[in-house]
Amino acid sequence: MASRGAPLMRGSGSSAPWSRGSRIAVAIGIGVLVGCVFAFLYPDGIFPSNPAHLQGRRNIESNKVSSSCDSSEKIDVLKFELAVALEENAKLKTQVRELSTTLKQAEQGKDQLEKQVMVLGDTHKAGPFGTVKALRTNPLVAPDESVNPRLAKLLEEVAVKKELIVCLANTNVKDMLGVWFENIKKVGIKNYLVVALDDNIEEFCKTNNVPVYRRNPDEGVDSIAKTGGNHAVSGLKFRILREFLQLGYSILLSDVDIVYLQNPFDHLYRDSDVESMSDGHSNMTAYGFNDVFDEPSMGWARYAHTMRIWVFNSGFFYIRPTIPSIELLDRVADRLAKELKSWDQAVFNEELFFPSHPGYDGLHASKRTMDIYLFMNSKVLFKRVRKDEDLSKIKPVIVHVNYHPDKLPRMKALVEYYVNGNKDALKPFPDGSDW
Ligand SMILES: *[C@@H]1O[C@H](CO)[C@@H](O)[C@H](O)[C@H]1NC(C)=O
């Protein structure tokens, strides 16, 4: 069966799905026709339930030579021909059965195949040295408005080129949210949306003319939303994001402790499933490096090379609506629901980076680390940039106060520094927190 099905599907290639279908249909048609003919000629049943019938064929053959009676010889020949025909028919019948199974499987696999064809296209020979580039920009999913018609309608109004900034907020972070949207407005960004997790925030957004989306209270996540600490809300974030992706939008997910200084949509590459800011504080730590582990007792083989990279920041990333992206969100949400003590950012990174290994299928999402000076974390700013003459001339796109607990005053200070040009605004703050 498999040996028949496989070449049938492979041989027709991606360019002739219809001719493949019609060939299968013709084959089925012939089979049915032959079946009908035999049903007419042999109404008592054509399939030899008695294996002796076929076995007799060999005897007939040997008898044929020795027989001297013409009429009985003719009958024997006819019998022989009948036996051959019956055998042929049985074969055809089997083929029809196999073909219809293949057809059914082909229907089921059509979806899968279409995706593969979309991703892989025709098979190509590898080009000359240096010209070969693997795919990293995966195809977008087909938007499915039925997932959430109300949100679909809202996003149609808010999004620009099917992209928008999305931020989840509850009353605990209201003051930071104020600074967050003030600066977004100042920069002239139109495509942003607050997912309000309680009435207070919904009201706050409405009075400030901030696009807001409130989930239905009966959606069962409200208890997390209202009372949840940071990490509980983070788990919720991945579930909510999924709907946005299913509706076909690329999302720039943003925490509230972020100050916008330029429009981030002018600084994205859009070539990967996930494009994220880094928790790294230097090129090496943010973009990856080879960390050599030394074990002198191993003598000649004392040096073991390890791959290192500081984690992606799960509080600011751009995610395209692709299958790997949605799989990522599902995997993270699933693990956060099961492993109550896990930290969403750690899980997010483990799912993105760990390769497949025995007992585990890794996610194959493409990823890009954002420029650490344009999408800056507060460690880079307070430990290095503010003290460095050249680096301090760079105007970041955003700064994320992720490394410091005194978020609100630092946010306000860096607005003073970058927007109002007050060169002393950052001076009162230590590099790190004093606990
Ligand atoms: C860090 O990377 C950027 C971009 O690749 C490069 O322009 C810069 O020179 C690098 N800085 C250092 C210190 O290596």
Side-chain angles (χ1 to χ4, degrees), residues 323-336:
I323 293 295
S325 295
I326 293 173
E327 188 183 351
L328 170 69
L329 298 179
D330 288 358
R331 290 167 79 127
V332 174
D334 183 54
R335 277 189 56 191
L336 291 176

Side-chain angles (χ1 to χ4, degrees), residues 283 287 371 373 384:
N283 282 7
Y287 307 146
D371 186 307
Y373 299 114
R384 295 184 45 223

Side-chain angles (χ1 to χ4, degrees), residues 51-80:
H53 212 127
L54 286 179
Q55 219 178 350
R57 178 177 141 194
R58 254 170 267 127
N59 302 337
I60 292 166
E61 249 171 325
S62 51
N63 288 346
K64 215 166 43 176
V65 183
S66 59
S67 171
S68 58
C69 176
D70 267 2
S71 61
S72 80
E73 194 176 295
K74 266 183 196 160
I75 289 169
D76 280 351
V77 169
L78 279 172
K79 274 187 186 164
F80 168 68

Side-chain angles (χ1 to χ4, degrees), residues 23-246:
R23 261 183 278 145
I24 292 171
V26 167
I28 291 172
I30 290 170
V32 169
L33 198 67
V34 171
C36 289
V37 169
F38 277 91
F40 179 72
L41 291 176
Y42 307 100
D44 293 337
I46 52 170
F47 296 110
S49 52
N50 175 11
H53 212 127
L54 286 179
Q55 219 178 350
R57 178 177 141 194
R58 254 170 267 127
N59 302 337
I60 292 166
E61 249 171 325
S62 51
N63 288 346
K64 215 166 43 176
V65 183
S66 59
S67 171
S68 58
C69 176
D70 267 2
S71 61
S72 80
E73 194 176 295
K74 266 183 196 160
I75 289 169
D76 280 351
V77 169
L78 279 172
K79 274 187 186 164
F80 168 68
E81 280 171 0
L82 171 61
V84 170
L86 285 174
E87 199 178 28
E88 286 303 317
N89 186 58
K91 270 189 210 155
L92 270 171
K93 182 102 179 176
T94 312
Q95 279 182 1
V96 168
R97 220 180 299 133
E98 285 175 356
L99 278 169
S100 55
T101 312
T102 305
L103 185 65
K104 222 181 279 166
Q105 285 178 345
E107 284 295 326
Q108 286 164 356
K110 197 172 136 237
D111 230 36
Q112 208 73 357
L113 282 172
E114 271 173 1
K115 272 179 214 146
Q116 283 178 12
V117 166
M118 224 183 345
V119 174
L120 304 170
D122 293 332
T123 52
H124 294 292
K125 290 176 182 168
F129 179 82
T131 65
V132 176
K133 295 268 184 283
L135 189 83
R136 82 183 140 260
T137 309
N138 286 312
L140 305 178
V141 296
D144 180 3
E145 294 212 347
S146 68
V147 168
N148 188 334
R150 185 169 65 94
L151 180 60
K153 197 156 165 280
L154 178 61
L155 294 185
E156 233 167 77
E157 292 160 21
V158 174
V160 174
K161 293 186 193 156
K162 299 230 108 186
E163 303 180 313
L164 70 155
I165 299 169
V166 170
C167 171
L168 274 66
N170 64 15
T171 300
N172 298 340
V173 295
K174 185 175 176 182
D175 292 340
M176 279 192 278
L177 182 66
V179 179
W180 183 86
F181 64 63
E182 252 170 52
N183 284 285
I184 284 185
K185 287 179 180 179
K186 225 182 283 173
V187 173
I189 301 166
K190 300 269 181 273
N191 47 334
Y192 68 105
L193 180 70
V194 173
V195 177
L197 300 177
D198 56 43
D199 296 337
N200 189 8
I201 290 294
E202 185 182 22
E203 207 44 49
F204 180 54
C205 289
K206 281 181 177 163
T207 53
N208 284 283
N209 259 328
V210 168
V212 63
Y213 167 65
R214 182 73 198 278
R215 285 168 65 81
N216 287 330
D218 58 3
E219 276 167 320
V221 289
D222 256 33
S223 59
I224 308 172
K226 276 190 191 120
T227 58
N230 252 352
H231 287 176
V233 172
S234 299
L236 178 69
K237 169 169 96 183
F238 296 97
R239 292 174 188 278
I240 294 179
L241 260 189
R242 188 191 211 276
E243 282 187 359
F244 287 79
L245 297 201
Q246 277 185 284

